[in-house]
Amino acid sequence: MTTMSESLMRLHFLLLLLLCCVSPSIIFTLNIPVSEFVACRPRQIQAFAQFKNEFDTRNCNHSDDFNGVWCDNSTGGVTKLQLRDCLSGTLKPNSSLFGFHQLRYLYLSQNNFTSSLLPSGFGNLYKLEVLALSSNGFLGQFPSSFSNLSMLSVLDLSYNHLSGTLNPNSSLFGLHHLRFIDLSINNFSSPLPSEFGNLNKLEVFGLSSNGFFGQVPPSFSNLTSLTRLHLDHNKLTGSFPLVQNLTKLSYLDLSYNQFSGAIPSSLLIIPFLSYLDLNENHLIGSIEVPNSSTSSRLEFIYLGNNHFEGKTLEPISKLTNLKAIDLSFLNTSYPIDLNLFSSLKSLWYLVFDGNSISPASLSSDSYTPLALRILSLKHCGISKFPNILKTLQNLEFIDISENRIKGKIPEWLWSLPRLRSVNIGNNSLNGFQGSAEVLVNSSVQTLDLDVNSFEGALPNPPFSIEFFSVVSNSFTGEIPLSICNRSSLVVLDLSYNNFTGPIPQCLTNLTFVNLRKNNLEGSIPDAFYDGASLRTLDVGYNRINGKLPRSLIHCSYLKFVSVDNNIIKDRFPFWLKALPNLQVLTMRSNKFYGPISPPHQSPLGFPELRIFEIADNKFTGSLPPSYFVNWKASSLTLNEDGGLYMVHHETSYGIGRFDYLNTIDLQYKGLTMEQQRVLTSYYAIDFSGNRLEGQIPESIGLLKALIALNFSNNAFTGHIPPSVANLKELESLDLSRNNLSGTIPNGLGSLSFLEYINVSHNQLNGEIPQGPQITGQPKSSFEGNVGLCGLPLYGSCF
């Protein structure tokens, strides 16, 4: 099951500096004369209020000037309606919204329409010119009534859950006046219909992050008005799409697909092309730059993680207007000289990960462009600290992780005046030049020193620090109290070191705290204040004693708590169920004691809990039948952000984003796996190794999303609840070493995901249910039950 919690911080640099330049979002501007709109009359305002009253608007920002309703200057009818991040509930087919027949501009983005289908009533708004419905949770497909929207020029349905096949006869393809369409970040899964080519007035076209597959239809070459084309993050295949006719194209993103073959030589001749992203495909060969390269408008070119040859470098170095380059993992057999880019005076972004680099071009005598602000040389086989950095006085972001750099970090690094983000993780560095105060006056905000060979006392971090991670080193001594004076610090990860002494009280002010696997002593400070921002607390594998601090009740944002493998002696913390966001609670291997059932035989009542791990303590008593009622694991709904892992995104002022990634130690399917990322789809319960008795509650069958269940090594009696067969997602089930009797429910044989089952050493009898998931188990999973028979045991039931 889950020996939980490595809340392992990883500085997941996404290079989002100056987002508007590096990776522009899909934007489109309509020139709408302000004189067309006037304040609405009381009757129209009342109708607008009636529409809002169909929803829960408690989270609505009524002071947001964006929200409101406007009317036509001549007719008085409602022509513009805007509400963002305001409405919660179901958008019903008979909503009063669909009675605003004069509407021309409708903006309803970032609301919570509780996974509603797109209502057909939108087709009643036949005068619509702009329909913006992004980030609302809509499901399904386009209703046929969309064909009535013949005047529509802007359609934004991005960030929803639209799914299935996009059929050629979809009502979408009758909207011939469309100039902007964004269907990005949905769940479509189909080939791209050639009918897209009929929308020949399109200027901005976004299909990013779906499941589209197959080749791009030749009809896309008909879209000659296109200025921006976003097809990234799909499963598109075949040769490079026909885009040469798209002479107005300025932005082309085909990254994260499976395109193959060579890039056509005519690509760089497209006269207005300034942004080209082909990252993460299967493209080969080189790039040909026309003789008139000085007239090229290309400013951003991303070609990383393909199969391009090294001779790609020289042509690209002739594109003198370039500001950003990604050439990660080129297919070269020789070290590359970074001096090739010396003529690119405007270059400020260079990612060269996974390439062998000439040591000479990393010296302080190199001619790398001095305008560089972002430089990533990860996994380049570098063995000496690159002195080239000393000359880059504009540098803001540096990533030289996953190299072989030894020795000490030079003192001059911390004097670079604009440096904000440093990742030197996964090297062999062992110290710092200068005093323990060498970092203090640096401008660095995010610092990753993970997986090196640092020893001794932890240096005092910069005053400006926001993210500080030193995972898996050999730092010793007490946690420095200087951290208490770092008012901007959000994330602190000191896990897997040799720190000793108490936990400083000031750490209760942070958002993410990971002190796992050190030698810390004393109790967790009981100093969490009302409204504290704490989201993750991991102090597992230390020598923490005392009780859980009751002031944790003030941490309403808390999602992840791990105190496993300590010597905490306390009763079960029923009071934690008041935390509305708590998802992971692991308390394994402590000295907790007493009942885990609330008074009056009521459900446990943690509203969001989905990983609950209390193994190897001294808990006693029985569980009431309703114990598992109203648990998060009873729902199979998507997690709120649709992400694969439990992760929190944090924006660092002026430099982009870092991610705090929660991880756990899994004890699962009979195995132990350390530092596994927490899947957002992972639901687990582990009560093993306690003194629980009585019957296993029938309500366990309500936990439809449960993946792992471990009740082993207790004193449970009675039958295995037949409702366990309702756990269709279950992969691991351990009920061994109890006093269970009766037969094994036949339904267990039909659980198609069940890979591990152990019911050994009970008092079960009868025939073992047959099914591929059962008969494939070892006989040790059933031994110790005198009355059991059938495969995989030797005894026959006949």
Side-chain angles (χ1 to χ4, degrees), residues 13 64 86 100 119 186 229 253 265-266 320 335 385 395 408 419 449 514 591 660-661 671 675 687 738:
F13 290 115
D64 186 348
C86 190
F100 291 103
N186 279 284
L229 177 59
D253 191 347
S265 59
S266 56
T320 55
F385 205 93
L395 202 62
K408 299 183 185 297
L419 196 61
L449 303 174
N514 191 346
K591 295 184 177 181
Y660 186 94
L661 182 66
L671 302 172
Q675 295 188 29
F687 289 1
N738 281 283

Side-chain angles (χ1 to χ4, degrees), residues 20 203 233 246 402 481 485 524 595 709-710 713 727 733 788:
C20 62
E203 299 174 31
H233 292 83
L246 311 183
E402 300 179 33
L481 293 179
N485 298 325
I524 302 172
L709 175 63
N710 191 346
N713 288 281
L727 306 180
L733 174 64
L788 276 185

Side-chain angles (χ1 to χ4, degrees), residues 50-362:
Q50 179 184 342
F51 167 59
K52 288 201 298 182
N53 287 338
E54 297 174 14
F55 303 90
D56 180 353
T57 59
R58 284 176 293 181
N59 294 324
C60 192
N61 181 4
H62 298 286
S63 62
D64 186 348
D65 292 337
F66 180 88
N67 294 332
V69 64
W70 292 263
C71 289
D72 185 82
N73 192 19
S74 55
T75 68
V78 175
T79 55
K80 183 179 178 182
L81 190 156
Q82 297 184 164
L83 284 171
R84 67 181 176 193
D85 196 18
C86 190
L87 308 177
S88 182
T90 301
L91 183 59
K92 298 178 181 178
N94 61 349
S95 171
S96 62
L97 171 69
F98 305 125
F100 291 103
H101 296 296
Q102 302 300 313
L103 264 181
R104 294 168 56 197
Y105 310 104
L106 177 59
Y107 300 84
L108 289 178
S109 296
Q110 301 172 38
N111 290 289
N112 178 16
F113 289 137
T114 58
S115 300
S116 306
L117 293 172
L118 270 176
S120 60
F122 283 113
N124 299 335
L125 308 178
Y126 59 91
K127 291 188 177 182
L128 275 180
E129 298 175 33
V130 173
L131 179 57
L133 301 173
S134 65
S135 303
N136 283 313
F138 283 121
L139 300 169
Q141 294 259 347
F142 297 97
S144 59
S145 62
F146 265 45
S147 59
N148 299 335
L149 307 179
S150 58
M151 302 176 67
L152 200 65
S153 61
V154 173
L155 177 61
D156 186 356
L157 283 164
S158 60
Y159 290 88
N160 281 289
H161 302 305
L162 303 179
S163 61
T165 299
L166 195 54
N167 293 312
N169 58 355
S170 170
S171 57
L172 173 68
F173 300 120
L175 307 179
H176 295 294
H177 288 281
L178 278 177
R179 295 168 56 196
F180 173 103
I181 183 169
D182 190 2
L183 305 180
S184 299
I185 313 182
N186 279 284
N187 301 313
F188 289 112
S189 180
S190 71
L192 290 174
S194 61
E195 285 72 14
F196 273 124
N198 299 334
L199 306 178
N200 55 14
K201 292 186 178 180
L202 274 179
E203 299 174 31
V204 177
F205 189 8
L207 297 177
S208 305
S209 299
N210 277 281
F212 290 114
F213 57 86
Q215 298 191 6
V216 176
S219 62
F220 271 48
S221 63
N222 299 337
L223 305 177
T224 53
S225 296
L226 272 186
T227 61
R228 298 171 67 95
L229 177 59
H230 301 251
L231 299 179
D232 54 286
H233 292 83
N234 282 287
K235 301 174 184 177
L236 300 171
T237 57
S239 56
F240 203 87
L242 298 172
V243 296
Q244 296 89 316
N245 292 346
L246 311 183
T247 56
K248 296 182 180 179
L249 202 62
S250 64
Y251 186 109
L252 177 61
D253 191 347
L254 305 178
S255 61
Y256 294 89
N257 280 287
Q258 299 166 27
F259 293 116
S260 56
I263 296 177
S265 59
S266 56
L267 179 65
L268 300 186
I269 303 177
I270 297 176
F272 299 104
L273 189 64
S274 64
Y275 185 104
L276 176 63
D277 192 346
L278 306 178
N279 269 333
E280 296 281 353
N281 279 284
H282 304 309
L283 299 167
I284 61 172
S286 184
I287 287 183
E288 296 183 22
V289 174
N291 293 331
S292 57
S293 60
T294 53
S295 64
S296 171
R297 298 199 181 190
L298 260 181
E299 296 182 346
F300 305 90
I301 186 166
Y302 307 105
L303 305 178
N305 293 280
N306 281 281
H307 305 293
F308 292 120
E309 299 170 1
K311 59 184 180 181
T312 298
L313 290 166
E314 188 172 351
I316 288 177
S317 68
K318 297 178 181 178
L319 299 171
T320 55
N321 291 321
L322 282 178
K323 296 178 179 178
I325 299 174
D326 183 346
L327 290 170
S328 302
F329 294 94
L330 290 171
N331 184 19
T332 61
S333 57
Y334 54 87
I336 295 169
D337 187 351
L338 293 182
N339 288 316
L340 272 172
F341 304 114
S342 60
S343 61
L344 305 180
K345 304 302 182 185
S346 299
L347 190 68
W348 59 266
Y349 175 106
L350 178 61
V351 175
F352 225 66
D353 300 342
N355 294 301
S356 176
I357 298 176
S358 164
S361 66
L362 293 174

